[in-house]
Amino acid sequence: MYTQTLDLKSASWSFNYEDQWLPCAHSPSQIHLELLSAGKIPDPFEGMNEKDLQWIGERCWTYRCEFEIPELDHDDLKTVLVFEGLDTFATVRLDGKQILKSENQFHTHRIPTNLTPGRTHTLTLTFSSALHHGHALLHTHGNRALWNGDASRLYVRKAPYHYGWDWGPVLMTCGPWREVRVERYEGRLVDVVAKVEVTDNLSTATLDVEVETEGGDVVTIQLFSPEGDLVVDGQDVRVGKDGKGRTEITLKDPELWYPHSLGVQPLYELRAVLTSPTSPSTTHTLTRPLGLRRAKLIQRPLKHDAPGTTFHFEINGVPMFVPGADWIPADSFTCRLTDKDYEDWVDLAVRGGHAMLRVWGGGIYESEAFYRACDEKGVLVWQDILFACGQYPTHPEFLSSVEREVKEELGRLRHHPSIVLVCGNNEDYMLAEQLKLEYDPEDTNPENWLKTSFPARWIYEKLLPECVEDVAPHIDYHPGSPWGGKDTMDPNGGDLHQWNVWHGSQAPYQTYPALGGRFVSEFGMQAAPHPRTIKSFTHGMSEGEVYPQSAVMDHHNKADGHEKRLGGYLVENFRWKDDIPGWSYATQLLQSEALSTAYRHWRRAWRGEGREECGGVLVWQLNDCWPCTSWAVVDYEKRAKMAWFTIRRELATISVGVERVEKRDGPEGEKVVKGAVDGQPGQPFDYAEKKVVLNAWACNASLKSVSAILQLRAYEIKSGEELPALRLRKEVTLAPNSSTEILTEIDAEDTDVVYNACLLAPEDDAAFACTSSWPQPFKHSLFPARNVQLTISPDRTSVTVTADRPTKGVWLDVVGDDDRGVNWGDNCLDVFPGDERVVEVEGLEEREVCVRWYGSDFEKDKIFDVYDVPKNLPENSPEKN
Ligand code: BMA
């Protein structure tokens, strides 16, 4: 059985620019990358170049590939040209003759052809403007409502974010964005898939192995253990006339795959070998990494009078609170992302404490490298189908294009153990609600749905679940995000996008505790990227042109009304220094406070069996597709923002929480003031008597009880004096896999007092989880004379931080432009008198360290900005702070 694959990557590719053929520098390719490499356009990410490059998306672009196939000793081989993906309206010609027309970026094409060995063949790929096509479709089928991007995008099966989003530029690229190759074979394996079932008691895994072939009649199946040993040898599958065959493998005591927060990620390898009695020497082999696990989305009533149903995941029978993040494409031009980029990103998610990434519906079905990294590093994947923020059409050609897309993409992805959920769309139900489209949950007849003003319900509740049932029945399906309660904002059922902080009612972030839900799949707060990242897109500009409200900074923030919102939240809460480092620091501190508040409180609602009141929280968003100000917690250049560190502390296996709650007298006695958790900004003229009490709790994600001592200390912020009367130690046992309430309504002080709570190991009092509650808003507190000191260890692998008075947001950095390879073990710290916070650091080498904290900007002569450090001071000199 002979098979040969010729990846045309190394063939001679060129593209046409103003009647000239220029060599391509990328394969797979997107046209902007070629124009950039050929020096024909400036960097679309720099300055405001994006504006001037819109002409690219309006034009037609042609690629040419010249290639030869070698002479072989085999007769009668089938020859097929394979296009894994063409973005989007493409006409393909082979030696001048049209062989393909494609209109969906996510379709794969296999075109049988006659190629002559030794002769130069020419492929010509013409991409016409997706904008023009989309507008023609819009004209034919009518305008439809949407959020984000050009309205024509709803008719075009192309990555929605290419049309621009509230965090991304409009860069309508095109090209052969996935592999192009020639396959020659007598027979080939089309696919092999193992649908894995693990029994309830986890003792046995059954692999339902399906093979599909084209030519050839016997497929030999082998299974290798994670250690590389052959566990199942040579099970033969005879394929039928339809090319399909199946077999079952039963494995006793399987090594199970877990998300990283619960355990290890052993990967078996399934190997399928197509053989033929007539030509035993050469074969076609396919391998699949296999993780054996039982993954279920659980939606069942809660106990203890809690309303509604849960929304949580059980992996290998273990119910888990799933912290995570939403994932968008990591570049506007994904062809330039390497496997290493994907590994780094998934690593950032893992190190940041995230157990799930939601591949959001406005991006792409991700690259193989992304899912492989998730399989290997133990990250659960929630996979949206690509529908986002729109009222999609349902004319027959559109539906059949979608059906083919979804079946092909799920066929490609279904064997990844990381994928635990397929979801129908992003926010299309929310938009339908806003538009008051017809939606009768009682009407279960899909034919009727097509006649309503919300025909796309057919897609999410009929077409897509049928595709999943057909191709990947072992993966759970959820019709939309958000979806599932009585409406999309129902906190007691389904998942929820909590945007009443930032969008919606623009509530103070301090009210997050009251805004949770059964599973919060989006919520977020913006922050500027690191000053070095800002420098990367402004480096051609003079210093005077780059300031927080400059045109270029506004251009690099695509969110509607961002000035009012980011500005509003900042004015409400913090003081800041009006320059780029000051702005970056303050917005990041704001974001870090907002997001960690949400995680701290929502994780507390994972209260054990029958009380899974919040089953998971995904932050919008992990990453960016270009350098900008957005909701991302890690910027485009992979620099973690402060929030990445503060979220990580909330998501550690064991975390601790403390809150102050206002109580006041009313006609019915003393009661908690609604939403007044940790105080709120913006309540002027309220001089009523109030009492402040304190609650504390801890969260334990491990499956064992943990003994600890809760230590509570209180300090006056301005003077730094400890208030010994409020000092407390309490022995506690933290229940496994849930939160535990520790202190309930103990009397507390409010004004100018910060509480620091730590969990200490009973053996040696070593702190292993800490948190603090500061009076709000921060802008009202004064932070003079903190005297922050840094001591760098002689081997330069750690920095010890101390402070004379309680200090907020201590941010360690290196001096200068070059921070490559520098990795801080922790950052954005709250430091209290007497603490010696040892922060590990990788890759520091000879670089100088600088520090900033909340308030340091106002101690005028004691500030060290990234770009501003006095020379020749000893490392631990006090003046250095
Ligand atoms: C969401 C997402 C995106 C958007 C984000 C921020 O709800 O689904 O569409 O980018 O909010 O507005």
Side-chain angles (χ1 to χ4, degrees):
M1 187 66 44
Y2 188 82
T3 62
Q4 186 208 46
T5 301
L6 272 184
D7 180 354
L8 293 185
K9 205 179 178 115
S10 53
S12 148
W13 284 87
S14 48
F15 72 103
N16 195 283
Y17 174 75
E18 296 186 346
D19 294 331
Q20 260 187 305
W21 288 100
L22 304 175
C24 285
H26 306 261
S27 174
S29 169
Q30 286 162 313
I31 196 64
H32 289 75
L33 294 179
E34 301 303 350
L35 292 165
L36 184 61
S37 299
K40 299 298 176 193
I41 57 167
D43 187 336
F45 289 176
E46 248 185 68
M48 295 193 272
N49 292 339
E50 173 209 348
K51 280 189 187 176
D52 300 329
L53 296 175
Q54 293 305 314
W55 56 271
I56 301 172
E58 305 261 350
R59 284 203 192 168
C60 182
W61 294 96
T62 305
Y63 282 79
R64 189 168 74 186
C65 170
E66 293 182 328
F67 67 99
E68 281 181 19
I69 58 167
E71 202 72 66
L72 296 171
D73 293 340
H74 293 260
D75 297 332
D76 294 339
L77 292 183
K78 255 192 201 171
T79 303
V80 176
L81 268 165
V82 184
F83 303 88
E84 289 282 357
L86 301 170
D87 175 12
T88 289
F89 291 92
T91 305
V92 182
R93 290 185 181 80
L94 176 65
D95 302 325
K97 191 171 150 250
Q98 182 178 316
I99 56 166
L100 168 67
K101 248 181 148 18
S102 175
E103 301 191 340
N104 183 320
Q105 184 185 351
F106 308 103
H107 284 173
T108 295
H109 306 275
R110 301 182 60 84
I111 313 293
T113 41
N114 288 319
L115 297 175
T116 312
R119 165 182 164 198
T120 302
H121 290 286
T122 307
L123 268 181
T124 321
L125 285 65
T126 306
F127 295 90
S128 47
S129 162
L131 272 173
H132 293 171
H133 275 279
H135 279 278
L137 287 163
L138 196 79
H139 192 69
T140 310
H141 297 283
N143 213 352
R144 311 183 75 84
L146 80 166
W147 297 319
N148 293 299
D150 183 274
S152 67
R153 74 171 174 81
L154 300 177
Y155 287 104
V156 180
R157 298 309 292 162
K158 171 176 176 62
Y161 82 111
H162 288 173
Y163 291 80
W165 218 264
D166 57 5
W167 36 259
V170 182
L171 289 166
M172 290 290 289
T173 197
C174 67
W177 77 298
R178 285 178 174 165
E179 188 181 277
V180 179
R181 61 178 184 271
V182 182
E183 290 183 5
R184 300 162 79 192
Y185 51 89
E186 278 175 271
R188 70 172 186 117
L189 272 164
V190 177
D191 200 4
V192 54
V193 62
K195 293 171 186 158
V196 179
E197 278 293 327
V198 176
T199 52
D200 278 353
N201 64 4
L202 310 179
S203 67
T204 311
T206 313
L207 281 61
D208 178 9
V209 181
E210 288 175 15
V211 294
E212 192 180 340
T213 64
E214 196 187 320
D217 46 19
V218 180
V219 181
T220 307
I221 299 292
Q222 293 175 317
L223 186 70
F224 293 86
S225 73
E227 297 73 34
D229 302 327
L230 193 58
V231 248
V232 173
D233 189 13
Q235 204 155 308
D236 280 350
V237 182
R238 213 152 260 294
V239 294
K241 284 215 177 66
D242 59 356
K244 293 185 179 166
R246 61 192 300 179
T247 185
E248 205 172 88
I249 296 175
T250 306
L251 263 191
K252 286 268 163 234
D253 301 321
E255 292 181 54
L256 296 177
W257 183 97
Y258 285 90
H260 68 89
S261 52
L262 281 182
V264 288
Q265 294 79 46
L267 291 174
Y268 288 76
E269 186 181 272
L270 182 73
R271 191 175 293 177
V273 185
L274 180 67
T275 51
S276 154
T278 52
S279 119
S281 57
T282 46
T283 58
H284 187 205
T285 302
L286 280 184
T287 58
R288 299 277 184 252
L290 272 192
L292 310 182
R293 88 287 185 277
R294 219 182 135 69
K296 293 258 168 288
L297 168 63
I298 311 287
Q299 298 180 80
R300 63 163 179 242
L302 290 126
K303 296 178 190 160
H304 311 285
D305 296 333
T309 43
T310 68
F311 190 105
H312 71 279
F313 291 87
E314 244 180 49
I315 310 293
N316 299 329
V318 181
M320 66 181 288
F321 173 81
V322 178
D326 290 283
W327 167 267
I328 64 167
D331 206 304
S332 290
F333 310 115
T334 47
C335 284
R336 66 178 162 193
L337 293 170
T338 62
D339 288 5
K340 170 84 168 55
D341 287 321
Y342 280 107
E343 280 164 31
D344 290 349
W345 276 114
V346 175
D347 231 39
L348 275 158
V350 172
R351 287 191 289 118
H354 302 287
M356 175 177 270
L357 290 175
R358 169 173 169 245
V359 179
W360 165 77
I364 56 171
Y365 303 100
E366 269 302 342
S367 113
E368 181 61 20
F370 171 84
Y371 301 101
R372 201 184 320 124
C374 291
D375 291 347
E376 288 171 358
K377 296 173 196 290
V379 173
L380 303 173
V381 174
W382 165 320
Q383 177 68 51
D384 281 0
I385 301 298
L386 302 190
F387 294 99
C389 303
Q391 283 310 302
Y392 283 87
T394 48
H395 50 282
E397 311 84 74
F398 184 82
L399 292 180
S400 61
S401 179
V402 165
E403 181 174 352
R404 173 172 162 197
E405 161 193 324
V406 173
K407 287 186 172 168
E408 287 182 3
E409 290 289 356
L410 288 183
R412 177 173 75 88
L413 304 179
R414 61 187 166 178
H415 66 274
H416 289 284
S418 49
I419 301 178
V420 293
L421 192 71
V422 171
C423 171
N425 71 75
N426 173 76
E427 294 189 351
D428 294 356
Y429 285 101
M430 271 172 93
L431 182 58
E433 271 172 21
Q434 192 190 67
L435 299 168
K436 300 200 171 28
L437 303 186
E438 296 155 74
Y439 184 85
D440 177 4
E442 308 290 312
D443 186 354
T444 52
N445 179 357
E447 297 301 327
N448 294 342
W449 305 342
L450 284 173
K451 295 174 213 144
T452 66
S453 54
F454 183 28
R457 181 178 177 190
W458 170 284
I459 301 179
Y460 316 131
E461 294 180 44
K462 180 168 165 61
L463 178 64
L464 299 183
E466 283 176 359
C467 290
V468 175
E469 186 52 36
D470 189 23
V471 182
H474 54 297
I475 307 179
D476 281 330
Y477 177 76
H478 183 59
S481 184
W483 193 82
K486 61 179 177 358
D487 57 39
T488 57
M489 281 310 286
D490 186 352
N492 299 321
D495 66 320
L496 175 75
H497 291 188
Q498 186 45 273
W499 281 109
N500 274 324
V501 173
W502 185 272
H503 293 298
S505 58
Q506 289 171 41
Y509 72 76
Q510 289 84 353
T511 61
Y512 267 135
L515 300 177
R518 295 291 176 248
F519 191 104
V520 184
S521 40
E522 284 186 15
F523 78 105
M525 174 58 71
Q526 281 205 342
H530 193 283
R532 288 187 195 93
T533 305
I534 295 175
K535 219 173 179 184
S536 77
F537 66 80
T538 57
H539 66 79
M541 305 176 75
S542 74
E543 249 180 56
E545 286 175 296
V546 187
Y547 49 91
Q549 293 154 295
S550 56
V552 69
M553 288 295 286
D554 274 352
H555 180 81
H556 284 252
N557 186 342
K558 300 299 192 188
D560 195 22
H562 64 86
E563 299 93 333
K564 287 186 215 140
R565 298 188 190 184
L566 193 47
Y569 281 104
L570 212 49
V571 171
E572 226 167 42
N573 289 288
F574 294 98
R575 299 170 72 189
W576 71 93
K577 186 172 174 228
D578 189 19
D579 59 13
I580 290 291
W583 174 255
S584 170
Y585 176 85
T587 55
Q588 289 201 21
L589 187 62
L590 163 72
Q591 183 195 37
S592 74
E593 279 295 302
L595 303 185
S596 58
T597 301
Y599 272 105
R600 187 176 318 127
H601 288 266
W602 294 343
R603 186 180 173 193
R604 180 188 187 186
W606 179 253
R607 301 183 201 274
E609 220 257 289
R611 306 190 63 199
E612 301 91 349
E613 290 161 26
C614 178
V617 177
L618 311 181
V619 64
W620 184 266
Q621 61 210 68
L622 178 70
N623 59 330
D624 273 328
C625 69
W626 78 318
C628 67
T629 298
S630 77
W631 299 269
V633 296
V634 183
D635 74 30
Y636 173 72
E637 299 198 338
K638 301 198 189 98
R639 294 194 175 93
K641 295 183 187 173
M642 292 182 192
W644 184 83
F645 290 97
T646 58
I647 291 174
R648 183 163 82 141
R649 288 200 288 274
E650 300 302 337
L651 299 182
T653 308
I654 294 176
S655 67
V656 59
V658 59
E659 68 179 351
R660 59 186 86 195
V661 176
E662 273 179 39
K663 297 190 103 185
R664 57 176 73 172
D665 289 331
E668 287 136 43
E670 199 178 56
K671 89 175 207 254
V672 172
V673 180
K674 235 183 169 230
V677 185
D678 268 356
Q680 278 182 44
Q683 298 175 325
F685 320 122
D686 178 0
Y687 304 118
E689 272 293 305
K690 61 184 182 192
K691 183 172 145 192
V692 171
V693 292
L694 209 76
N695 298 323
W697 66 94
C699 299
N700 174 11
S702 80
L703 305 182
K704 292 192 204 113
S705 315
V706 172
S707 302
I709 294 162
L710 177 85
Q711 173 187 274
L712 185 72
R713 295 176 303 178
Y715 301 88
E716 279 178 5
I717 296 173
K718 191 169 169 201
S719 70
E721 291 302 315
E722 189 180 350
L723 305 171
L726 295 175
R727 187 176 257 242
L728 177 151
R729 269 172 83 90
K730 185 178 177 188
E731 285 185 18
V732 291
T733 304
L734 311 181
N737 198 10
S738 90
S739 63
T740 301
E741 296 297 315
I742 302 176
L743 299 176
T744 308
E745 298 195 1
I746 63 160
D747 288 343
E749 296 277 335
D750 190 19
T751 322
D752 196 42
V753 175
V754 54
Y755 292 90
N756 173 229
C758 287
L759 292 172
L760 312 179
E763 328 65 89
D764 56 4
D765 263 13
F768 60 89
C770 287
T771 189
S772 35
S773 159
W774 300 79
Q776 306 285 318
F778 280 97
K779 64 182 177 182
H780 290 167
S781 296
L782 297 178
F783 292 85
R786 303 291 101 173
N787 190 24
V788 174
Q789 299 277 340
L790 307 183
T791 314
I792 300 174
S793 66
D795 62 359
R796 305 185 68 78
T797 60
S798 69
V799 177
T800 302
V801 187
T802 58
D804 286 357
R805 297 178 178 78
T807 310
K808 178 79 208 163
V810 176
W811 181 246
L812 298 167
D813 203 344
V814 293
V815 175
D817 284 343
D818 178 15
D819 62 349
R820 269 169 310 165
V822 179
N823 241 324
W824 295 99
D826 201 355
N827 218 334
C828 193
L829 313 165
D830 287 1
V831 181
F832 290 86
D835 288 353
E836 290 203 342
R837 295 292 293 272
V838 181
V839 177
E840 285 172 11
V841 55
E842 281 170 13
L844 185 56
E845 295 168 359
E846 294 315 308
R847 293 176 179 95
E848 287 181 275
V849 175
C850 54
V851 63
R852 208 174 181 119
W853 61 91
Y854 183 62
S856 62
D857 283 344
F858 312 107
E859 293 179 62
K860 293 279 185 246
D861 43 342
K862 298 206 173 188
I863 314 163
F864 288 82
D865 285 344
V866 177
Y867 303 118
D868 163 27
V869 71
K871 298 289 171 223
N872 307 325
L873 289 175
E875 282 308 349
N876 55 358
S877 145
E879 292 94 303
K880 263 205 121 171
N881 304 309

